[in-house]
Amino acid sequence: DIQMTQSPSSLSASVGDRVTITCRASQAIDIYLAWFQYKPGKAPKSLISATSTLQSGVPSRFSGSGSGTDFTLTISSLQPEDFAIYYCQHYKNYPITFGQGTRLEIK
Amino acid sequence: EVQLVESGGGLVQPGGSLRLSCAAFGFTASDHYMDWVRLAPGKGPEWVGRTRDKPNGYSTEYAASVRGRFTISRDDSKNSLYLQMNSLKTEDTAMYFCARVSRSGAYFDFWGLGTLVTVSS
């Protein structure tokens, strides 16, 4: 199975800050990497697919990059609604696996 | 508007069974691969399994941790999918989500709110 390692596990930041979350795969996954946002009590929201493709309706302050084994999610200017848990996920093969998550909190 | 609505969660004893449902709205579920994903307290998400679309015969894939105990099925007349969970273990305790797989790539594009399953004596 491909292991997905996210860092940091938690992050405190302020509105307007630029933040970057990293995700490393235990083997090459080409560009088959997605990011989603989760707020407990709400449906998870898909943000990015294929490493860097923004899903419809997702603000342009979100961006993704990387290839092979190393990937990043960047939020260019944090907004109050962005404080949530972020997960990466590969879909290169079965089983699909996820990172442990990054909890983004207000400083 | 695409919506996925899960139901059927609850408290069950170890060794027991439960059937979760996921009703799809705003699209035809048979046109999509559909997955179940679970999120246990203090852990990252875990993929549970997949049912492919109608042209692919609704064939299935399962995580090793649930293979032989869980079964995914569909009912086209109700535009729904199901997760039959047997021989439940305490480690199956989690929020269970259904997720739609995009037709333009094998990623999840929509998720439901989830339904909570607690396995405890």
Side-chain angles (χ1 to χ4, degrees):
Chain A
D1 298 1
I2 298 173
Q3 308 303 315
M4 306 300 292
T5 304
Q6 259 181 264
S7 61
S9 57
S10 65
L11 177 59
S12 293
S14 302
V15 172
D17 283 354
R18 177 185 180 91
V19 299
T20 298
I21 299 168
T22 65
C23 181
R24 174 165 287 176
S26 61
Q27 63 190 76
I29 57 171
D30 303 321
I31 62 166
Y32 300 112
L33 190 283
W35 293 93
F36 66 96
Q37 178 192 69
Y38 179 56
K39 297 179 181 179
K42 294 194 170 185
K45 179 182 179 182
S46 294
L47 299 175
I48 288 172
S49 63
T51 297
S52 59
T53 301
L54 225 55
Q55 294 302 287
S56 176
V58 174
S60 59
R61 62 181 180 272
F62 290 90
S63 64
S65 64
S67 66
T69 60
D70 294 311
F71 303 86
T72 60
L73 171 70
T74 299
I75 310 172
S76 60
S77 178
L78 275 172
Q79 298 302 300
E81 60 268 29
D82 299 337
F83 293 95
I85 306 169
Y86 293 84
Y87 295 102
C88 65
Q89 166 230 327
H90 89 82
Y91 51 101
K92 165 80 173 171
N93 55 23
Y94 299 112
I96 294 163
T97 55
F98 298 80
Q100 290 293 101
T102 296
R103 183 179 295 271
L104 181 52
E105 299 172 323
I106 300 175
K107 186 183 286 185
Chain B
E1 180 192 4
V2 172
Q3 269 194 298
L4 296 167
V5 180
E6 301 93 337
S7 60
L11 174 64
V12 60
Q13 292 188 335
S17 297
L18 209 56
R19 189 176 88 146
L20 307 184
S21 301
C22 172
F25 300 93
F27 71 101
T28 302
S30 61
D31 292 339
H32 287 262
Y33 290 21
M34 299 290 297
D35 286 26
W36 288 94
V37 175
R38 65 186 181 184
L39 183 60
K43 294 188 176 181
E46 181 185 13
W47 175 75
V48 172
R50 167 169 291 177
T51 170
R52 294 182 178 86
D53 56 9
K54 191 170 185 178
N56 284 288
Y58 295 146
S59 58
T60 53
E61 302 285 347
Y62 296 98
S65 60
V66 306
R67 195 175 296 130
R69 299 189 299 125
F70 290 12
T71 302
I72 300 173
S73 62
R74 294 185 187 241
D75 184 337
D76 288 352
S77 68
K78 296 182 179 178
N79 209 33
S80 295
L81 75 156
Y82 305 95
L83 181 65
Q84 177 67 44
M85 303 186 295
N86 298 331
S87 302
L88 281 161
K89 306 175 182 180
T90 55
E91 53 263 41
D92 295 318
T93 293
M95 183 72 81
Y96 283 73
F97 299 92
C98 66
R100 190 181 84 166
V101 180
S102 171
R103 293 180 67 185
S104 62
Y107 58 90
F108 305 133
D109 58 1
F110 286 96
W111 299 70
L113 275 170
T115 187
L116 181 62
V117 172
T118 303
V119 185
S120 174
S121 54

